[in-house]
Amino acid sequence: MTRTLRALAALALLPALGLVSGCTDTAVAPGVGATAQTTDALTLLPASADMVGMMDFQAARGSAALDAMTGGAGLGFMSGGGAQDFDTFVRQTGFDPDTDLDRVYVAASEGGPRAAFVAYGRFDRDRIEQYVASQPDLDLTATDVEGLPVYLAQSDDGGRGGFALVNDQMILGGDEATLGQMIRRLGTDGQAPSAELQALLDRVQHPDGAWFVARGLDRLGGDLPSDAPPAALAARAADGVVLSMTFGDDGVPVRAFVVTRAGTDTGDVADALRGGIAAAKMGVKDEPAALDVLDRATVEPRDGGVEVDAFLTTAFLNAARAD
């Protein structure tokens, strides 16, 4: 990915999202909120997603918890291409993720070429186009799809991917084929999500912070050895997962829901997860901030799975960053 793509894409940097996929929807699930942006993003992203997520940077901005996670760097930590490159990009385009990026939706599929994303914020298309045109070493190919400017770069695997400037409030990104499909869906109605994906979206607890859902985990499996740790055995029983969090000044509340495979005893899975937490506590017994987080975590079997609640304190986030 080129320097410009890195700078624009905070875009694909939802922590914990490293695959590719999406879902399509015009009637958004209550769990993720029926905002216009969510509706549009889920309409545009690929419908065959294994994993879909969102981060609300606008909500996170100014949060003491975010400052703890980034060491006070705000969203500028996403520059990726070096401070000087990033400063040049900001100066010449007027785009700064620390102030101008609002929400990013990402979709990914296991084994897919790259994540697809829909980013909302304030983008000066003219200045970005001028910047790209003035930087021949960026190695971007400018093209046009359905009247929209698209910029593509060659990846190490021989494919091409990039981003499209839809307007001054939206940017799309992904591999070349996916990007073209997303552009052609602009202004159209998308298909409803599958019942499997809908059920995951409905379980999002914090729709206006950051969330992701993953399905089809049974396809990723492989046999675990009999001496695998408890948490790994619990993961082997998972068919899907929902993770969401919100950003406060005193910490980050997190809720995870593990959807278990049919016929699985959710009580056994809950016990395995509790065993994993107990083992983790032994490993951090000399780290009070981490021990406090683990002490406060709760694990409960629920209908169809297991729910885990945790609270990442500011002290824990500061300690994690220092490590």
Coordinates of all heavy atoms in Angstrom, one line a residue, residues 53-99:
G53 N -17.0 -4.7 10.3 CA -16.8 -3.9 11.5 C -16.9 -2.5 11.3 O -16.9 -2.0 10.1
M54 N -16.9 -1.7 12.4 CA -17.0 -0.3 12.3 C -16.2 0.4 13.4 O -16.2 -0.2 14.5 CB -18.5 0.2 12.4 CG -18.7 1.7 12.2 SD -18.4 2.7 13.7 CE -19.6 2.1 14.8
M55 N -15.6 1.5 13.2 CA -15.1 2.3 14.3 C -15.5 3.7 14.1 O -15.4 4.3 13.0 CB -13.5 2.3 14.3 CG -13.0 3.0 15.5 SD -11.3 2.7 15.9 CE -11.0 3.8 17.3
D56 N -16.1 4.3 15.2 CA -16.5 5.7 15.1 C -15.4 6.6 15.7 O -15.3 6.7 16.9 CB -17.8 5.8 16.0 CG -18.5 7.2 15.8 OD1 -17.7 8.2 15.6 OD2 -19.7 7.3 15.8
F57 N -14.6 7.1 14.8 CA -13.5 8.0 15.2 C -14.0 9.3 15.8 O -13.3 9.8 16.7 CB -12.6 8.2 14.1 CG -11.8 7.0 13.6 CD1 -12.2 6.2 12.6 CD2 -10.6 6.6 14.3 CE1 -11.5 5.1 12.2 CE2 -9.9 5.5 13.9 CZ -10.4 4.7 12.8
Q58 N -15.1 9.7 15.4 CA -15.7 11.0 15.9 C -16.0 10.8 17.4 O -15.8 11.7 18.2 CB -16.9 11.4 15.1 CG -17.4 12.8 15.5 CD -18.5 13.3 14.5 OE1 -19.3 12.4 14.0 NE2 -18.6 14.6 14.3
A59 N -16.6 9.6 17.7 CA -17.0 9.4 19.1 C -15.7 9.2 20.0 O -15.7 9.6 21.1 CB -17.8 8.1 19.2
A60 N -14.7 8.6 19.4 CA -13.5 8.3 20.1 C -12.6 9.6 20.3 O -11.9 9.7 21.3 CB -12.6 7.3 19.4
R61 N -12.8 10.5 19.4 CA -11.9 11.7 19.5 C -12.1 12.5 20.8 O -13.2 12.8 21.2 CB -12.3 12.6 18.3 CG -11.3 13.7 18.0 CD -11.7 14.4 16.7 NE -11.5 13.5 15.5 CZ -12.4 13.2 14.6 NH1 -13.6 13.7 14.7 NH2 -12.1 12.4 13.6
G62 N -11.0 12.8 21.4 CA -11.1 13.5 22.7 C -11.3 12.6 23.9 O -11.3 13.1 25.0
S63 N -11.4 11.3 23.7 CA -11.6 10.4 24.8 C -10.2 10.2 25.5 O -9.2 10.0 24.8 CB -12.1 9.1 24.3 OG -11.9 8.0 25.2
A64 N -10.2 10.3 26.8 CA -9.0 10.0 27.6 C -8.6 8.6 27.4 O -7.4 8.3 27.4 CB -9.3 10.3 29.0
A65 N -9.5 7.7 27.1 CA -9.1 6.3 26.9 C -8.4 6.2 25.6 O -7.4 5.4 25.5 CB -10.4 5.4 26.9
L66 N -8.8 6.9 24.5 CA -8.1 6.8 23.3 C -6.7 7.4 23.4 O -5.7 6.9 22.9 CB -8.8 7.6 22.2 CG -8.1 7.6 20.8 CD1 -8.1 6.3 20.2 CD2 -8.8 8.6 19.9
D67 N -6.6 8.5 24.2 CA -5.3 9.1 24.5 C -4.4 8.1 25.1 O -3.2 8.0 24.8 CB -5.4 10.3 25.4 CG -5.9 11.6 24.6 OD1 -5.8 11.5 23.3 OD2 -6.3 12.5 25.2
A68 N -4.9 7.3 26.0 CA -4.1 6.3 26.7 C -3.6 5.2 25.7 O -2.5 4.8 25.8 CB -5.0 5.6 27.8
M69 N -4.5 4.8 24.8 CA -4.2 3.8 23.8 C -3.1 4.3 22.9 O -2.3 3.5 22.4 CB -5.4 3.3 23.1 CG -6.3 2.4 23.9 SD -7.6 1.7 22.8 CE -8.7 3.0 22.6
T70 N -3.1 5.6 22.5 CA -2.2 6.1 21.5 C -1.1 6.9 22.0 O -0.4 7.5 21.2 CB -3.1 6.9 20.5 OG1 -3.6 8.1 21.1 CG2 -4.2 6.1 19.9
G71 N -1.0 7.1 23.3 CA 0.0 7.9 23.9 C -0.1 9.4 23.6 O 0.8 10.1 23.5
G72 N -1.4 9.8 23.5 CA -1.7 11.2 23.2 C -1.5 11.6 21.8 O -1.7 12.8 21.4
A73 N -1.3 10.6 20.9 CA -1.1 10.9 19.5 C -2.4 11.1 18.7 O -2.4 11.4 17.6 CB -0.3 9.8 18.8
G74 N -3.5 10.9 19.4 CA -4.8 10.9 18.7 C -4.9 10.0 17.6 O -4.3 8.9 17.7
L75 N -5.5 10.3 16.5 CA -5.6 9.4 15.4 C -4.5 9.6 14.4 O -4.4 8.9 13.4 CB -6.9 9.7 14.6 CG -8.2 9.6 15.5 CD1 -9.4 9.8 14.6 CD2 -8.2 8.2 16.1
G76 N -3.5 10.5 14.7 CA -2.4 10.7 13.9 C -1.5 9.5 13.9 O -0.6 9.3 13.0
F77 N -1.7 8.5 14.8 CA -0.8 7.3 14.9 C -1.0 6.5 13.7 O -0.2 5.6 13.4 CB -1.2 6.5 16.2 CG -2.4 5.7 16.0 CD1 -2.4 4.4 15.7 CD2 -3.7 6.3 16.3 CE1 -3.6 3.6 15.5 CE2 -4.8 5.5 16.2 CZ -4.8 4.2 15.8
M78 N -2.0 6.8 12.8 CA -2.3 5.9 11.7 C -1.5 6.3 10.4 O -1.7 5.8 9.4 CB -3.8 5.9 11.4 CG -4.6 5.4 12.5 SD -6.4 5.5 12.2 CE -6.5 7.3 12.2
S79 N -0.6 7.2 10.6 CA 0.2 7.7 9.4 C 0.9 6.6 8.7 O 0.9 6.4 7.5 CB 1.1 8.8 9.7 OG 2.1 8.4 10.7
G80 N 1.6 5.7 9.4 CA 2.2 4.5 8.8 C 3.4 4.7 7.9 O 4.2 3.9 7.8
G81 N 3.4 5.8 7.2 CA 4.5 6.0 6.2 C 5.6 6.9 6.7 O 6.4 7.4 5.9
G82 N 5.6 7.2 8.0 CA 6.6 8.1 8.5 C 6.0 9.5 8.7 O 5.2 10.0 8.0
A83 N 6.5 10.2 9.8 CA 5.9 11.5 10.2 C 6.1 12.5 9.1 O 5.1 13.3 8.8 CB 6.6 12.0 11.5
Q84 N 7.2 12.5 8.4 CA 7.4 13.5 7.4 C 6.5 13.3 6.2 O 5.8 14.3 5.7 CB 8.9 13.5 6.9 CG 9.2 14.6 5.9 CD 10.7 14.7 5.5 OE1 11.5 14.0 6.1 NE2 11.0 15.6 4.6
D85 N 6.3 12.1 5.7 CA 5.4 11.8 4.6 C 4.0 12.2 5.0 O 3.2 12.8 4.2 CB 5.4 10.3 4.3 CG 6.7 9.9 3.6 OD1 7.4 10.8 3.1 OD2 7.0 8.7 3.6
F86 N 3.6 11.9 6.3 CA 2.2 12.2 6.7 C 2.0 13.7 6.8 O 1.0 14.2 6.4 CB 2.0 11.5 8.1 CG 0.6 11.6 8.6 CD1 -0.5 11.1 7.9 CD2 0.3 12.4 9.7 CE1 -1.8 11.3 8.3 CE2 -1.0 12.5 10.2 CZ -2.0 12.0 9.5
D87 N 3.0 14.4 7.4 CA 2.8 15.8 7.5 C 2.7 16.5 6.1 O 1.9 17.4 6.0 CB 4.1 16.4 8.2 CG 4.1 16.1 9.7 OD1 3.0 15.6 10.2 OD2 5.1 16.2 10.3
T88 N 3.4 15.9 5.2 CA 3.3 16.5 3.8 C 1.9 16.2 3.2 O 1.3 17.1 2.6 CB 4.4 15.9 2.9 OG1 5.7 16.2 3.4 CG2 4.3 16.4 1.5
F89 N 1.4 15.0 3.4 CA 0.1 14.7 2.9 C -0.9 15.6 3.5 O -1.8 16.1 2.9 CB -0.2 13.2 3.2 CG -1.6 12.8 2.8 CD1 -1.8 12.4 1.5 CD2 -2.6 12.7 3.7 CE1 -3.0 12.0 1.1 CE2 -3.9 12.3 3.3 CZ -4.1 12.0 2.0
V90 N -0.9 15.8 4.9 CA -1.8 16.7 5.5 C -1.7 18.1 5.0 O -2.8 18.7 4.7 CB -1.6 16.6 7.1 CG1 -2.4 17.7 7.8 CG2 -2.0 15.2 7.6
R91 N -0.5 18.6 4.9 CA -0.3 20.0 4.5 C -0.9 20.2 3.1 O -1.5 21.2 2.8 CB 1.2 20.3 4.6 CG 1.4 21.8 4.3 CD 2.9 22.1 4.5 NE 3.8 21.4 3.6 CZ 4.5 20.4 3.9 NH1 4.5 19.9 5.1 NH2 5.3 19.8 3.0
Q92 N -0.6 19.3 2.2 CA -1.0 19.5 0.8 C -2.4 19.1 0.4 O -2.9 19.6 -0.6 CB 0.0 18.7 -0.1 CG 1.4 19.2 0.0 CD 2.3 18.6 -1.1 OE1 1.9 18.1 -2.1 NE2 3.6 18.8 -0.9
T93 N -3.0 18.3 1.2 CA -4.4 17.9 0.9 C -5.4 18.4 1.9 O -6.6 18.4 1.6 CB -4.5 16.3 1.0 OG1 -4.3 15.9 2.3 CG2 -3.5 15.7 0.0
G94 N -5.0 18.9 3.0 CA -5.9 19.4 4.0 C -6.6 18.3 4.8 O -7.5 18.6 5.6
F95 N -6.3 17.0 4.5 CA -7.0 15.9 5.2 C -6.1 15.4 6.4 O -4.9 15.1 6.2 CB -7.2 14.7 4.3 CG -7.7 13.5 5.0 CD1 -9.0 13.4 5.5 CD2 -6.9 12.4 5.2 CE1 -9.4 12.3 6.2 CE2 -7.3 11.3 5.9 CZ -8.6 11.2 6.4
D96 N -6.7 15.4 7.6 CA -6.0 14.9 8.8 C -6.9 14.0 9.5 O -8.0 14.4 10.0 CB -5.6 16.1 9.6 CG -4.8 15.7 10.9 OD1 -4.7 14.5 11.1 OD2 -4.2 16.5 11.5
P97 N -6.6 12.7 9.6 CA -7.5 11.8 10.3 C -7.8 12.1 11.7 O -8.8 11.8 12.3 CB -6.8 10.4 10.2 CG -5.4 10.7 9.9 CD -5.4 12.0 9.1
D98 N -6.9 12.9 12.3 CA -7.1 13.3 13.7 C -8.2 14.2 13.9 O -8.8 14.4 15.0 CB -5.8 13.9 14.3 CG -5.8 13.9 15.8 OD1 -6.3 13.0 16.4 OD2 -5.2 14.9 16.4
T99 N -8.7 14.9 12.8 CA -9.8 15.8 12.9 C -10.9 15.6 11.9 O -12.0 15.9 12.1 CB -9.3 17.3 12.7 OG1 -8.6 17.4 11.5 CG2 -8.3 17.7 13.8

